[in-house]
Amino acid sequence: MYLTHLHCPRCDTTYDADRPQNLCSCGSPLLARYDLAEVRKAVDPTALGGRAADLWRYRELLPVAEDRHVTTFGEGWTPMLPAARYGGSIGVPGLLVKDEGLVPTGSFKARGAAVGVSRARELGIRHVAMPTNGNAGAAWATYAARAGLRATIAMPLGAPTITRRECVAAGAELHLIDGLISDAGRHVGKLIAASAGSPDGEIFDVSTLKEPYRLEGKKTMGYEIVEQLGWQVPDVIVYPTGGGVGLIGIHKALHEMRELGWIGDTLPRLVAVQSTGCAPIVRAFGAGATRAEPWADAWTVAYGINVPAPLGDELILDALRDTAGTAVAVDDEAILADLHDFGAREGLLLCPEGAACLTAVRQLRAGGWIRADERVVVLNTGAGLKYPETVDVDSLPVAG
Ligand SMILES: *Cc1c(COP(=O)(O)O)cnc(C)c1O
Ligand SMILES: [Zn+2]
């Protein structure tokens, strides 16, 4: 294993990676660091083509020492679908959609769960808990069951009901919360505090960015995008941003690949897409701030990005500025219109979070921020099948 230590990007403190760790004492998330000089010697990126078509092909850049701890359902290596018909209609013929709907549990959250659960198991953790807007809880419950860990999941009542069913089916302890993900987070905080020293065993907090390894799973999207383009970076990567783990992870992967000499100096411009109903990052980016203020009365149909106070705000804003990227808010009506338009032109039912990215691309192209000849990658972060309410069939006439 090439993992060397954990590092705080805010205050530069380092931590031992061989023990369970949550946040830095300064409150910042911790990042996993590797001996990239040694990885560079050991791995020829063009030889990765012969490896299994899942995210474990980047094994040297992942934080799991022993194969027996790898917990997998075959996640990763999702298709990058050219979408020239829809793309052409909005003036971006080089549009590509990376379809994370094909990942086990129907969302890219499984990437984070696969790596996070594998490492938790390796570090001897027996019981994990987290607040979730649905998909993360479903993924962690599923992978925890496969690893033989207990999982406690706290989920707002408004989260997609399919994700509740996934948690229950995987044997997790599901707590339904009358509130937002931030309320679910406070609930989990109390459970964890109460578990300290309990004979029932301590509970480990795996909330978004409160442990460092979920991010490592999600960063593999960045490696895959570049490898699937023949080790070329696209011009723009567009990401629906809730907690921002995928965006921070892709940014981290790009920096690692640059240090490994696998890509050149120019990084793709990263775009954070949010809903006008919950846009703390867009507001902070526009104001030139380094931190985001909590968003009041958050609501959007794109439930996965309904995160009023993301813990990784600094890292998200840094990723956008470092790559000359931007942040865009789009409204629910436009999201659903683009979801339907894309389905009719390309045949893939997107999740609303993925459709939000198309709305953003359309608006950025109209405003000239994206040029006609640019290669733009949109992440469709989940399966449209998990969101049946986005397609209305109740008003259809019935014959016979
Ligand atoms: C969680 C989620 C997001 C947001 O991901 P973050 O990494 O938290 O920003 C986007 N889309 C879907 C479908 C999700 O489940
Ligand atoms: Zn710190």
Side-chain angles (χ1 to χ4, degrees):
M1 183 172 68
Y2 296 88
L3 177 70
T4 51
H5 62 281
L6 302 172
H7 171 242
C8 174
R10 186 190 292 162
C11 76
D12 246 13
T13 306
T14 61
Y15 289 82
D16 182 357
D18 292 329
R19 285 193 314 183
Q21 305 282 7
N22 290 115
L23 296 174
C24 180
S25 56
C26 79
S28 168
L30 295 173
L31 301 178
R33 297 296 183 202
Y34 301 81
D35 187 342
L36 293 178
E38 285 302 312
V39 175
R40 186 176 185 156
K41 282 188 231 161
V43 182
D44 168 7
T46 58
L48 293 178
R51 296 192 181 180
D54 61 36
L55 62 76
W56 298 99
R57 69 202 275 113
Y58 306 110
R59 191 79 165 78
E60 289 86 349
L61 296 150
L62 293 174
V64 184
E66 295 184 37
D67 284 342
R68 68 193 168 98
H69 295 129
V70 169
T71 307
T72 181
F73 292 98
E75 54 289 328
W77 204 250
T78 53
M80 290 256 273
L81 305 169
R85 198 172 302 119
Y86 176 87
S89 77
I90 61 166
V92 188
L95 182 70
L96 292 159
V97 174
K98 187 164 176 61
D99 187 18
E100 295 289 304
L102 293 181
V103 172
T105 74
S107 88
F108 78 124
K109 292 292 195 305
R111 290 181 187 264
V115 175
V117 165
S118 296
R119 184 61 176 164
R121 172 187 192 175
E122 185 156 80
L123 294 176
I125 289 161
R126 307 298 313 269
H127 186 171
V128 296
M130 63 167 17
T132 176
N133 270 344
N135 283 329
W140 280 74
T142 303
Y143 282 81
R146 188 154 173 87
L149 307 187
R150 276 177 76 185
T152 299
I153 310 291
M155 187 185 291
L157 281 171
T161 51
I162 181 66
T163 61
R164 277 190 217 171
R165 296 183 202 283
E166 290 176 274
C167 292
V168 171
E173 291 149 58
L174 179 62
H175 298 217
L176 294 175
I177 307 295
D178 187 6
L180 292 179
I181 187 167
S182 35
D183 302 303
R186 277 185 284 278
H187 179 81
V188 166
K190 282 184 205 150
L191 293 177
I192 288 171
S195 83
S198 136
D200 223 21
E202 301 208 352
I203 307 178
F204 186 65
D205 191 348
V206 293
S207 308
T208 305
L209 291 170
K210 285 195 184 166
E211 62 74 53
Y213 301 115
R214 187 204 293 210
L215 180 68
E216 295 303 291
K218 286 194 171 182
K219 85 177 177 189
T220 58
M221 289 187 290
Y223 281 94
E224 283 181 24
I225 289 170
V226 175
E227 186 180 357
Q228 288 172 318
L229 294 176
W231 298 103
Q232 302 281 314
V233 297
D235 298 296
V236 177
I237 298 176
V238 187
Y239 182 80
T241 304
V245 188
L247 187 100
I248 298 164
I250 290 170
H251 183 235
K252 183 172 188 282
L254 291 167
H255 274 267
E256 287 173 0
M257 282 187 274
R258 192 154 76 175
E259 199 172 329
L260 287 161
W262 294 3
I263 60 171
D265 278 343
T266 311
L267 301 184
R269 281 132 57 214
L270 299 180
V271 179
V273 180
Q274 300 202 295
S275 159
T276 49
C278 179
I281 296 298
V282 178
R283 185 169 63 186
F285 184 80
T290 55
R291 303 293 308 261
E293 297 295 327
W295 191 271
D297 302 321
W299 171 252
T300 166
V301 60
Y303 213 74
I305 56 175
N306 199 32
V307 181
L311 185 64
D313 54 348
E314 266 175 307
L315 293 168
I316 300 168
L317 291 161
D318 176 58
L320 301 181
R321 296 196 176 110
D322 177 53
T323 61
T326 192
V328 185
V330 299
D331 65 47
D332 281 4
E333 212 178 314
I335 293 174
L336 291 173
D338 282 307
L339 185 148
H340 296 142
D341 190 21
F342 187 87
R345 289 178 192 271
E346 301 285 355
L348 180 67
L349 177 58
L350 300 173
C351 65
E353 296 84 354
C357 293
L358 295 180
T359 307
V361 171
R362 193 162 53 70
Q363 292 178 2
L364 289 170
R365 176 70 193 101
W369 194 89
I370 291 175
R371 293 190 309 274
D373 61 347
E374 290 194 303
R375 190 144 65 162
V376 177
V377 175
V378 155
L379 275 311
N380 180 50
T381 42
L385 292 176
K386 292 186 92 168
Y387 306 76
E389 69 286 358
T390 60
V391 184
D392 174 30
V393 288
D394 293 339
S395 55
L396 291 179
V398 181

